Structures are given as C-alpha cells and as structure tokens.
Amino acid sequence: MNPCEPTPPLRAVLIGASGRMGRAILSTAAQFPALCFVGAIASPHSAALGSDSGVVAGGAPNYLAVTGSLEALLPRAQVVIDFSAASATQGNLRACRLALKPLLIGTTGFPSGLESEFAAAAREIPLLIAPNTSPGVTLLTELTRIAARALPGFTAGITETHHREKRDAPSGTALSLAAAIGVETPIASVREGEVIGEHTVRFAGPGEELVLTHRALARDIFARGALTAALWLSSRPAGRYQMRDVMGFKTVT
Ligand SMILES: NC(=O)c1ccc[n+]([C@@H]2O[C@H](COP(=O)([O-])OP(=O)(O)OC[C@H]3O[C@@H](n4cnc5c(N)ncnc54)[C@H](OP(=O)(O)O)[C@@H]3O)[C@@H](O)[C@H]2O)c1
C-alpha cells in the first residue's frame, strides 16, 4: 500500500444512538477521525427512527439516519458500540457473535445469567464489557483493588449516586468496584437530580479511614473512553476484555 494513502476510518455501529450516552458519543465522534459511524440504532419503537442522528445528538446533520435493526448494518461494521438497554444486551451479543464483529458493551444492568454467553462469545469475537468507560473510574477500580489487598483488616463500603432516570441499581460501576474488592461489600445507591455519576469507596480500619471518590462532571468522559476503547478493541483477537486492558493497567489481579 502507498504509505501516503490515508487509512480509511474504522466503520462503527452505535446502539442506543438516541439516548443520553448515544448522543454524547455522536457529539464527541468528530474528535476521533480514525472512526466513522455507519449505523445509528435506537429501539424498534423509538421516536427518533428515520431522523438524522447528528441532529438527534443536537448538532449538524451527519446524513446517517437512526434505524431499528442491528442485523442489517452488521455486514458493514468493523466494531459495534452498545449503550442501550439491559433488555437488548443478549440480542445484541448474539447478533455480533453470529456476524463475528467486535462488541463493546457499555450498557449496564443486564442479568448475571448472561455470564456463560459472554464467555462463549469471547472465544469467537473481541468482547469488551465496560460498565464505566471513563479513565478516572478505570483508575479508581485499580486503586480500589490495590487498597483492598493492602488493607486486609479494613471493612469496605461503596456509595453511588446517579440521576433519577437511571434504571439499574446498584450501578454497573459499583458492582465492578465490589468485584475489585473481592469480598461481599455493602453498596448504597442514591437516585437524585441530574447527577451524571458519583462513586465513593470507603475503607475503614482501627483509627483511620481511606476514602476514594470519582465524580463524573460531563458525559463526554464516557464517550471519549468508549470511542478510544472501540478503536483499541477492533484490532484485538477474540477474547474478553475490560477497560483496564484498554488503559494498559497491570497492577494486581
Ligand atoms: N459504560 C459507561 O461508561 C456508561 C456511562 C453512562 C451510562 N451507561 C449505561 O449506558 C446505557 C444507556 O444509558 P443512557 O443514559 O444513554 O440511557 P437512555 O438515555 O435511556 O438511552 C437508551 C438508548 O437505548 C435505546 N434502546 C432502548 N431499547 C433498545 C433496544 N431494545 N434496542 C436498541 N436500542 C434500544 C433507546 O432508544 P429510544 O429511547 O429512542 O427508543 C436509547 O437510544 C445504560 O445501561 C447506562 O447505565 C454506561
């Protein structure tokens, strides 16, 4: 290939294009010229069906209409980004597995019974399950993992706060923080106002307390993280990945 020839952008399909996260991803995509969207999916009954997805995202037209069928778009896709609804996760996973397309699942709240399907799919496609795509939370999770190992006599607790429309509780991020601690950990969930996302992990020991907090101040932190992760995932072999892999963290297991 001529070395001066520009590399064509990675062709991505976005599921959940009309939602809060989908709109943030579409708005942020201009910062990622290495990736372009060839599909913008909403629910089959979405009020956004047929609308220009750029306009739905609050920007200029991008001449990509919102549609309701993932299968029709998969042949052209090189990576699929899912920020939709937990009820759609299994169907999206099955479709991407059948079409052998890399899949980033940013959606949270799906049933834990999907675990064996995730494992089976990850033997055939690159699969990134990312309940939080922000770099700050990815680091918080690693710091939590380190603290839990380093402070074995301490008790841990997690508090998460999100906007009132968030469907799942506890948040996927809180569950992954609890998994990083590695023992049963109480999680308090608060739903109020417009809070984008706040997570606190508190370790308490005799005479001292360690408090780790992450606050999301804008949705584009998740959007930038998702687009970075999608580019990374598209060239990986089949396997199960996490955001810590995307960021290259190799601390403790
Ligand atoms: N990983 C992260 O960093 C991160 C960050 C924030 C949120 N999240 C998660 O991302 C998900 C979306 O959050 P959000 O706040 O954007 O939700 P939202 O505003 O409710 O948007 C949901 C989107 O999914 C679409 N949708 C619903 N059912 C669908 C189906 N069966 N098939 C295809 N599309 C469907 C909706 O379409 P219509 O409404 O137009 O019908 C809409 O576009 C949630 O699970 C949330 O917890 C993850």
Side-chain angles (χ1 to χ4, degrees), residues 171-221:
S171 68
T173 305
L175 292 171
S176 71
L177 289 167
I181 293 168
V183 294
E184 200 168 322
T185 303
I187 302 174
S189 298
V190 179
R191 296 289 171 265
E192 64 185 17
E194 303 289 313
V195 180
I196 293 174
E198 184 172 316
H199 292 86
T200 293
V201 186
R202 188 172 274 102
F203 292 94
E208 59 181 328
E209 191 178 43
L210 173 66
V211 181
L212 304 171
T213 294
H214 178 271
R215 280 187 200 95
L217 304 177
R219 262 185 197 92
D220 57 2
I221 60 167

Side-chain angles (χ1 to χ4, degrees), residues 60-133:
N62 63 7
Y63 308 102
L64 179 68
V66 177
T67 65
S69 169
L70 173 62
E71 283 79 358
L73 294 166
L74 280 176
R76 286 196 68 206
Q78 293 172 294
V79 69
V80 177
I81 303 172
D82 181 1
F83 279 82
S84 59
S87 57
T89 303
Q90 188 175 39
N92 295 336
L93 177 73
R94 288 181 177 178
C96 290
R97 187 179 170 192
L98 201 62
L100 294 177
K101 301 295 178 179
L103 172 63
L104 185 171
I105 299 180
T107 305
T108 60
F110 45 75
S112 54
L114 280 184
E115 194 48 45
S116 61
E117 278 204 50
F118 288 146
R123 287 194 282 276
E124 295 169 13
I125 59 170
L127 177 64
L128 171 59
I129 300 181
N132 196 308
T133 50

